[in-house]
Amino acid sequence: MTASIDRIISRVSRWPGVETAPHRFGGTEFVVAGREIGHVHDAGVVDLALTRRVRDVLLTDGLADPHHVLPDSAWVTYRVRSDADIPDAMRLLRLAYLWRLLAVRRRGIDPDPETDPDTDLRRLDFPAELDALVRETFRDSLDRRVPV
């Protein structure tokens, strides 16, 4: 496994509620509340599970590529070729994490009560269309924290 991928695994696995497991096609997957948010492959590939609308915005804005095996799915791929690519990989993984976090908060589950998704979204500084999509989809979850 590359040193860059090792760094990504180390960082993401420390986020509250994230579990890691071997991915069935090699590498490490990240799971939040029983659902995979993405995985990394040893060769420097980061695959993210999102929605088709989010995928389309990421592709249009050039922030990710179509999935390397399933290009017509809601999955996207980001390639880590050097340490310089780690921040953008982490940014996309954090988006997938926040998407899942907000979705489970709707069900009264909060694996990370300390995270303020609104602050995270501002810090991630995604293009306006992507930011608006997340905020519109989860306006109910963004406005309040679910007590644990």
Side-chain angles (χ1 to χ4, degrees):
M1 191 172 291
T2 68
S4 296
I5 293 299
D6 286 343
R7 283 187 200 91
I8 291 169
I9 293 169
S10 174
R11 291 176 187 171
V12 174
S13 65
R14 289 187 299 228
W15 294 344
V18 172
E19 298 175 15
T20 60
H23 185 63
R24 64 181 180 206
F25 299 119
T28 302
E29 68 182 45
F30 306 108
V31 176
V32 175
R35 202 162 190 203
E36 182 182 357
I37 62 167
H39 56 265
V40 293
H41 294 284
D42 299 348
V45 172
V46 177
D47 291 323
L48 302 160
L50 297 161
T51 67
R52 191 166 295 277
R53 286 179 60 205
V54 173
R55 169 208 181 264
D56 291 347
V57 174
L58 290 172
L59 297 181
T60 298
D61 289 340
L63 299 173
D65 297 320
H67 188 266
H68 58 108
V69 176
L70 303 168
D72 295 323
S73 72
W75 285 77
V76 297
T77 292
Y78 181 82
R79 297 191 186 279
V80 176
R81 294 177 176 88
S82 72
D83 282 353
D85 295 320
I86 292 174
D88 286 334
M90 294 298 300
R91 187 173 172 223
L92 292 170
L93 282 160
R94 191 66 181 184
L95 172 64
Y97 176 78
L98 290 173
W99 191 273
R100 182 72 180 138
L101 180 70
L102 289 165
V104 298
R105 280 184 177 178
R106 282 182 166 163
R107 298 188 339 236
I109 302 166
D110 197 346
D112 186 0
E114 298 301 313
T115 289
D116 176 7
D118 182 61
T119 299
D120 265 17
L121 286 169
R122 280 194 308 256
R123 184 182 52 79
L124 292 171
D125 193 32
F126 282 111
E129 184 180 0
L130 181 56
D131 186 78
L133 174 58
V134 175
R135 290 176 187 285
E136 176 61 25
T137 302
F138 294 108
R139 69 179 170 267
D140 57 335
S141 297
L142 280 166
D143 292 338
R144 62 178 169 76
R145 291 192 188 181
V146 176
V148 179

